[in-house]
Amino acid sequence: MRTEAKVFGVIAAFLAVVAAGYGWWTWYTSGRVEAGGTTTLGLSAALCAMCGLYFAFVSRRIPLRPEDRGDADVVEGAGRLGFFAPASYWPFGIGVAAGAGALGIAYGQWWLLVVGLVALLGAAAGLVFEYYAGAPRAN
Amino acid sequence: MAGDRTGLLPRAGAALDGRLHAAGLVRRTMNKVFPDHWSFMLGEIALYSFVMLLLTGTFLTLYFDPSDTAVRYHGPYVPLRDLPMSAAYASTLRISFEVRGGLLIRQMHHWAADLFLAAIVVHMLRIFLTGAFRRPRELNWVIGLLLFWLGFVEGFCGYSLPDDGLSGTGLRIAEAILLSIPVVGSWLATTLFGGEFPGHLVLGRLYIAHVLLIPGLLAALVAAHLALIVKQKHTQWPRPGHTERNVVGERMVPGFAARSTGLALSVFGLIALLGGVFQINPIWAFGPYEAAVVSAGSQPDWYVMFLDGGLRLFPPWEIRTAHHTVPAPFWPGVVLPGVLTLLALAYPFVSEWRQHDRAHHNLLQRPRDVPDRTALAAMAVTFYLVLTVSAANDIIAETFHISLNAMVWAGRIGLLLAPPLAYYLTRRLCLSLQQHDREVLGHGIETGELVRGPDGGYQEIHQPLGSRDGRPLPYAGWAVPKRPKRIGLLAPAVKGFFVPVETPRTPLPGQRTAADRRPTAVTAARPGEEHDEQ
């Protein structure tokens, strides 16, 4: 997992540098920092850093995987990988909710932002619990 | 418990039964079985809205004066003070501003009417999409359609009564539609209004229609509708144990009655909330009706909007023959609703005749299993929606700075293009859903468990649904489980929000617990353990 952590860390560092450079450049040429792009780049850096940190923490907790060793065989990696949701419409719902909230900010319609946020919470819960909630209790 | 006739209740019951001989009927009613599904409650929402309409309407009749006597307003609402108006409008203002609770009841009445028709429309869609109108229930479909139109006319009469600027405009449009009918139009209009519009009779006539004639008809037809359901029994979904010859469900008492009462109280509560919190039809803002004045942005209630949209979209084609003129409003105002009604009325009979289907159907069909009918419904809904949106085309044009002409042309083109498109897309969607059901039945449920093979390839484990010999299950007309949790592959969740409030049970062999999701489990697990691999 170290490799993954490094990949994400490098991207995060790059994005952080670009964000700082972009902010400075826009301030230098136009007299004020361009908020939209700087925020987007900064948040992207934070997101990548978050993934990288997660991988770094996990890599300390679990033993080395075959992928992490130079002398491993393909056959050593055989086995169950875990659970990955095969299909879900919830990401679409999350997108719609987030889009509604963003429109609310863009047009100053705060009620729409509230609606979008509530819907976002619902959609995120739906995504997380889709394969768990509502399982029959008695069998 | 039997034989004990000394208690108060048994004695009272015996005394009643000695006079009414109703014990057998009551027992049969209490034991009547109702199948259970959320979509069976839609009609009940309409029923309870109707009850609320009767209750609030009775209150309003105590204070409303359906007379067009000219009066001057002397009430507390300052902007209208000393204006000339009809007694009907003045009494509606009095209900809104002076009668205790009057505005709440008035708004509840209006909201209940909107909810009544909305519930009827959704209920009709449910009936249509699931094939509940098929033999032997065609007559109830016809009654339901009549109920919709009666509710429509009842609502129209109701919002015409206050004689405010908006309702007068609606009445004027209704008169124009009447006038447009060839040959008899002018006779009909003068008969109804007792002379030229608006005349002095129409409010009284609308009133008696609104509080006596149409509600009486509605109540009678609702009774017939329910009696037919009791006689023919409710339809049910095809589930294990449900056949064409039985009814599986809950008894009237206690299960169904409790559920239904809960729904009734929820509907009442919702109407009270809407009436108390959300303003509807603020007639004081519209002012008294003047026959020469039409305000911009006039909108009917939602259920009339499709007719209004038709009037707005139809091109100004006037047919002049030797002695008569057929004006344009005749087509969208009379022919269009007439044709729509006839199509809906004829549908059950035509489809029976076309499919040579003489059998009784008590089991419902999933909408995806009858793609053509479902697509037809989507087409009708799209047609209706384009008309409804077009009724607001002036508001949309103004709000979004679009040309009104562009809105009209978008409506005209959309009315012709959108329904076939909806038909095609819905039909494909139904067929795809059918195919997916068959696919899952044939190949099993995707468990989401990924396994890496010794050669480095990835594979997802499928859980077959068929028998051990590998033959797929036949499709049973009911929802196919598509998630592992639906077939018990997932250990039941442990109750408790922040801390568990019960000791977790040991999972059954093959069951997955939430803990398996943690990445620490990645190395611990062995390939495809305890799963039937595909």
Side-chain angles (χ1 to χ4, degrees):
Chain A
M1 290 239 165
R2 281 243 171 95
T3 322
E4 287 98 326
K6 274 181 205 151
V7 168
F8 274 98
V10 167
I11 297 176
F14 171 73
L15 283 171
V17 169
V18 169
Y22 182 80
W24 175 81
W25 196 5
T26 51
W27 169 80
Y28 185 73
T29 50
S30 68
R32 60 190 190 85
V33 175
E34 199 271 305
T38 317
T39 314
T40 311
L41 286 167
L43 282 180
S44 306
L47 275 174
C48 287
M50 208 163 78
C51 294
L53 282 175
Y54 173 76
F55 281 126
F57 282 130
V58 172
S59 70
R60 290 164 65 93
R61 216 168 54 208
I62 62 174
L64 281 182
R65 299 170 306 163
E67 294 94 316
D68 301 327
R69 304 197 323 261
D71 60 340
D73 270 334
V74 171
V75 71
E76 287 181 56
R80 191 177 146 205
L81 286 174
F83 173 76
F84 298 86
S88 178
Y89 289 112
W90 282 112
F92 180 69
I94 289 183
V96 169
L103 275 183
I105 298 176
Y107 288 98
Q109 303 289 322
W110 305 114
W111 64 272
L112 190 60
L113 176 64
V114 173
V115 169
L117 283 179
V118 172
L120 189 64
L121 280 180
L127 177 77
V128 171
F129 294 117
E130 182 176 12
Y131 283 82
Y132 296 93
R137 286 192 63 78
N139 42 31
Chain B
M1 83 191 179
D4 176 22
R5 301 260 169 202
T6 50
L8 184 65
L9 269 180
R11 271 191 291 131
L16 267 179
D17 194 44
R19 288 157 178 85
L20 299 175
H21 297 285
L25 184 69
V26 170
R27 170 184 284 259
R28 246 185 301 141
T29 312
M30 282 170 70
N31 285 340
K32 185 147 189 64
V33 165
F34 288 86
D36 177 24
H37 192 259
W38 63 267
S39 67
F40 300 164
M41 308 300 260
L42 293 168
E44 284 183 50
I45 298 180
L47 177 66
Y48 296 130
S49 309
F50 183 60
V51 171
M52 193 40 120
L53 280 168
L54 293 180
L55 293 173
T56 49
T58 309
F59 178 89
L60 293 175
T61 56
L62 301 179
Y63 300 97
F64 180 68
D65 174 15
S67 130
D68 66 348
T69 319
V71 295
R72 273 187 190 276
Y73 184 65
H74 296 298
Y77 187 63
V78 178
L80 292 179
R81 222 172 246 171
D82 286 331
L83 277 182
M85 58 180 62
S86 64
Y89 186 62
S91 67
T92 314
L93 287 175
R94 196 167 93 78
I95 291 173
S96 304
F97 291 124
E98 290 164 72
V99 174
R100 199 170 293 257
L103 182 60
L104 173 70
I105 299 288
R106 223 198 90 220
Q107 301 208 107
M108 280 170 71
H109 193 67
H110 205 124
W111 275 117
D114 282 352
L115 185 64
F116 177 58
L117 277 146
I120 287 182
V121 168
V122 181
H123 175 60
M124 281 173 79
L125 269 178
R126 196 284 286 180
I127 299 291
F128 187 78
L129 286 171
T130 60
F133 59 83
R134 292 172 300 162
R135 197 184 185 98
R137 297 181 178 79
E138 307 101 320
L139 189 58
N140 235 4
W141 168 257
V142 172
I143 293 179
L145 201 70
L146 289 180
L147 277 170
F148 167 77
W149 276 112
L150 277 175
F152 181 97
V153 176
E154 174 76 342
F156 180 80
C157 291
Y159 79 66
S160 296
L161 278 176
D163 203 26
D164 58 288
L166 187 61
S167 70
T169 303
L171 211 52
R172 182 57 140 176
I173 295 173
E175 193 232 1
I177 293 174
L178 275 183
L179 276 176
S180 76
I181 302 174
V183 186
V184 294
S186 40
W187 299 97
L188 272 179
T190 35
T191 310
L192 193 78
F193 288 87
E196 269 301 312
F197 181 86
H200 291 289
L201 296 172
V202 71
L203 278 185
R205 288 179 176 178
L206 284 176
Y207 183 67
I208 204 67
H210 183 72
V211 303
L212 180 71
L213 297 179
I214 305 178
L217 268 176
L218 271 173
L221 281 182
V222 166
H225 202 65
L226 294 178
L228 270 177
I229 292 172
V230 169
K231 183 69 197 158
Q232 297 176 334
K233 317 274 189 301
H234 207 291
T235 49
Q236 59 187 352
W237 287 106
R239 284 168 134 160
H242 296 203
T243 70
E244 291 280 9
R245 310 195 62 85
N246 69 2
V247 186
V248 182
E250 263 189 309
R251 288 177 191 205
M252 178 80 155
V253 179
F256 182 76
R259 195 201 308 269
S260 195
T261 312
L263 180 68
L265 295 177
S266 307
V267 170
F268 293 168
L270 175 71
I271 293 172
L273 187 78
L274 287 170
V277 179
F278 296 99
Q279 186 184 66
I280 192 165
N281 202 20
I283 48 130
W284 53 89
F286 306 146
Y289 179 56
E290 294 167 62
V293 177
V294 176
S295 99
S298 290
Q299 300 274 293
D301 269 37
W302 77 266
Y303 46 89
V304 187
M305 280 174 83
F306 80 102
L307 276 185
D308 194 3
L311 287 171
R312 291 176 190 218
L313 290 189
F314 199 78
W317 292 339
E318 208 167 72
I319 301 172
R320 287 166 198 264
T321 56
H323 297 289
H324 289 286
T325 304
V326 185
F330 175 64
W331 306 105
V334 181
V335 174
L336 176 81
V339 168
L340 291 183
T341 313
L342 283 181
L343 283 178
L345 280 180
Y347 188 85
F349 306 101
V350 171
S351 76
E352 261 164 44
W353 168 69
R354 280 199 52 194
Q355 293 162 5
H356 308 291
D357 182 5
R358 298 251 153 249
H360 275 222
H361 296 285
N362 296 318
L363 288 178
L364 296 171
Q365 294 167 311
R366 299 177 82 199
R368 67 184 61 178
D369 292 335
V370 196
D372 289 312
R373 190 176 67 211
T374 308
L376 211 57
M379 192 160 127
V381 168
T382 315
F383 187 79
Y384 179 90
L385 282 181
V386 173
L387 286 181
T388 303
V389 170
S390 292
N393 59 8
D394 53 336
I395 309 265
I396 297 172
E398 207 216 325
T399 311
F400 296 103
H401 308 295
I402 306 169
S403 139
L404 181 59
N405 285 335
M407 280 303 296
V408 171
W409 275 102
R412 284 172 182 169
I413 297 169
L415 198 60
L416 294 180
L417 287 189
L421 188 68
Y423 181 92
Y424 175 76
L425 290 179
T426 313
R427 196 163 174 282
R428 297 312 309 177
L429 185 70
C430 289
L431 292 173
S432 303
L433 286 170
Q434 277 187 27
Q435 196 177 16
H436 189 233
D437 283 348
R438 303 316 192 271
E439 206 175 285
V440 171
L441 284 171
H443 301 291
I445 292 179
E446 284 185 278
T447 58
E449 300 289 343
L450 278 195
V451 172
R452 185 154 54 180
D455 54 352
Y458 293 90
Q459 205 193 358
E460 184 180 6
I461 298 171
H462 281 69
Q463 170 63 49
L465 288 175
S467 47
R468 286 257 166 217
D469 57 11
R471 270 179 317 179
L473 288 173
Y475 179 66
W478 184 237
V480 175
K482 293 188 176 165
R483 295 273 185 264
K485 66 185 182 186
R486 298 273 169 242
I487 53 167
L489 274 184
L490 185 67
V494 179
K495 270 186 181 171
F497 195 79
F498 287 114
V499 283
V501 293
E502 61 182 8
T503 38
R505 222 181 49 189
T506 346
L508 297 173
Q511 275 186 338
R512 199 153 46 77
T513 61
D516 291 347
R517 295 186 79 199
R518 286 205 289 271
T520 40
V522 168
T523 44
R526 284 174 300 281
E529 53 177 358
E530 293 141 5
H531 280 295
D532 290 332
E533 233 178 302
Q534 184 68 2

